[in-house]
Amino acid sequence: MRILRGAYLARTTRSRRLCRDSTDAERILWAALRGRQLDGLKFVRREPIGPYFADFVCRDAKLVVELDGGQHADSAYDERRDAAISEAGYRILRLWNNEVLGNVEGALMTIARAARSAGERGGEG
């Protein structure tokens, strides 16, 4: 077993817990994104960016994909979080859980388009 350094251990533990406690929409989307299944893009999940954890991240395209339920409507926390993630150089794409649950193919097309447009700008967004 590999021993992690202090700061990384806490983040890794939290990331693993978030993965384990994923919503149905997150599990469905992850099954479609993992292993470079979407246009060869590598996505990771529960990636720490600053003090926040992004749902899904394509590092090469500098794209963060967030899945939201109703609790995120008009959230001041999400505004602060989005500002910090944007400051780190990432573009944020927000999708509703029901969009993924009702039309995963449409959600994947939206993600692929966003990743391509980010790539065309050199990852800047």
Side-chain angles (χ1 to χ4, degrees), residues 44-98:
V44 295
R45 65 180 176 160
R46 303 303 186 194
E47 174 84 349
I49 299 174
Y52 303 101
F53 285 81
D55 290 342
F56 304 97
V57 177
C58 179
R59 294 176 188 136
D60 290 340
K62 299 291 274 184
L63 177 67
V64 168
V65 178
E66 288 292 314
L67 289 186
D68 293 336
Q71 75 276 13
H72 290 276
D74 300 321
S75 167
Y77 172 82
D78 282 345
E79 287 180 26
R80 289 189 305 274
R81 185 176 181 280
D82 288 357
I85 290 172
S86 293
E87 270 184 37
Y90 288 89
R91 180 173 172 214
I92 301 164
L93 173 64
R94 289 193 170 277
L95 300 173
W96 292 100
N97 287 336
N98 62 0

